[in-house]
Amino acid sequence: MIVKGRDMMGGLAKGLSIIEAFSAERPRLSISEAADIAELDRATARRCLLTLAELGYAAYDGKFFTVTPKVLRLGTACLATMPLPRIVQPFLDQMSENIGQSTSVSILDDIEIVYVARAAQRRVMSIALMPGSRLPAYCTSMGRVLLSSLTVEDRRVLLERSAITARTPMTLTDIDALLAEIEETAARGYAMIDQEVEVGLRSLAVPLRNVRGKTVAALNVGVAASAGSMQELVERYLPTLTAVQMELKGLLV
């Protein structure tokens, strides 16, 4: 749907851009920081932040703003209407219990992945992940699986728009190298990430396809690097991931 200029609510768009400026890596923002991230002038960012604070969606300590739990209403209401989380959650719970590791399902939203369901056994990352959490697509196992379902041209476009940084010494940051790895992911049918998101974390992911064969999400398992080599983890957990992948294929639309 194409929205004409006169139908656009500029204030709403600016307010949403301010909300999106907050992330797990940026939980506290000053007015200037929020304005820079949202690409708004400082006065507009200030009005948006103060409005959010007045409505209870943000807290303000005189210097920094943080979003409050109330903002979760915006996301959880949307997630509650999506059939995907409801369908996959029982499978994640069972798989996580069986293998003793945390499992997740994500979808692709532009240059990021968004967690829509998760079953956590133990914390293997420094940040807490939950439905609604976001991570860059380029360096995550689920992100690379989802990128591998796109055309080669679309993969490059998204990577070129991503703020690619070395999150660890192992992170791939060269676009051509990333494209080659994504192509290899498409060929083998699963993605492997060896401490590219965070030191000490390895993960595997497979695509979740609907009955027509279209990739609609990704399923992963995250494991402490101390649990074994990347190849050992593939041998140990890939059969379970692919089994759940096949079970879900007939249930997703």
Side-chain angles (χ1 to χ4, degrees):
M1 178 180 178
I2 298 175
V3 180
K4 296 180 179 179
R6 64 176 181 273
D7 294 323
M8 282 284 291
M9 292 182 63
L12 176 59
K14 292 170 183 175
L16 291 173
S17 70
I18 288 292
I19 293 174
E20 291 178 350
F22 292 91
S23 69
E25 292 82 8
R26 302 185 301 263
R28 300 168 71 244
L29 295 175
S30 67
I31 293 173
S32 296
E33 289 169 339
D36 289 343
I37 295 168
E39 298 183 347
L40 298 172
D41 62 78
R42 192 179 185 283
T44 299
R46 177 179 178 275
R47 289 196 301 273
C48 290
L49 287 165
L50 290 175
T51 300
L52 290 171
E54 178 66 23
L55 296 176
Y57 289 103
Y60 183 43
D61 64 7
K63 183 176 181 182
F64 293 102
F65 288 85
T66 56
V67 291
T68 66
K70 186 176 180 180
V71 81
L72 292 174
R73 296 182 187 178
L74 304 176
T76 54
C78 176
L79 286 173
T81 66
M82 296 172 62
L84 179 63
R86 293 199 299 270
I87 292 171
V88 302
Q89 190 64 57
F91 289 88
L92 287 187
D93 292 338
Q94 186 62 60
M95 181 171 67
S96 183
E97 184 68 26
N98 290 344
I99 66 177
Q101 301 291 349
S102 298
T103 60
S104 308
V105 169
S106 292
I107 59 174
L108 186 66
D109 181 20
D110 196 37
I111 60 175
E112 297 178 311
I113 59 168
V114 181
Y115 284 72
V116 298
R118 181 164 169 80
Q121 286 288 324
R122 56 178 62 88
R123 186 164 173 173
V124 292
M125 290 189 70
S126 62
I127 60 173
L129 295 173
M130 63 191 74
S133 294
R134 290 173 174 265
L135 286 174
Y138 72 90
C139 61
T140 53
S141 60
M142 290 187 285
R144 288 190 185 164
V145 158
L146 294 165
L147 289 171
S148 74
S149 70
L150 306 178
T151 66
V152 174
E153 294 77 11
D154 286 344
R155 295 173 194 169
R156 180 176 286 278
V157 168
L158 286 183
L159 288 178
E160 288 178 344
R161 287 178 38 226
S162 301
I164 297 176
T165 58
R167 295 174 66 101
T168 78
M170 285 75 85
T171 308
L172 282 180
T173 57
D174 179 77
I175 288 183
D176 288 332
L178 282 166
L179 287 169
E181 179 60 30
I182 292 168
E183 181 60 34
E184 189 172 341
T185 295
R188 67 176 171 242
Y190 62 93
M192 301 181 292
I193 291 291
D194 189 357
Q195 305 182 81
E196 292 190 51
V197 179
E198 187 168 299
V199 173
L201 173 68
R202 292 186 170 120
S203 62
L204 298 172
V206 297
L208 292 180
R209 302 185 179 95
N210 61 19
V211 291
R212 296 182 296 280
K214 179 184 177 182
T215 297
V216 295
L219 165 71
N220 96 326
V221 57
V223 183
S226 59
S229 68
M230 196 75 244
Q231 188 55 44
E232 288 172 334
L233 298 182
V234 169
E235 293 170 359
R236 191 179 307 163
Y237 298 117
L238 185 60
T240 301
L241 285 169
T242 53
V244 175
Q245 176 192 48
M246 293 305 297
E247 287 186 85
L248 286 169
K249 186 173 182 179
L251 302 177
L252 303 179
V253 296

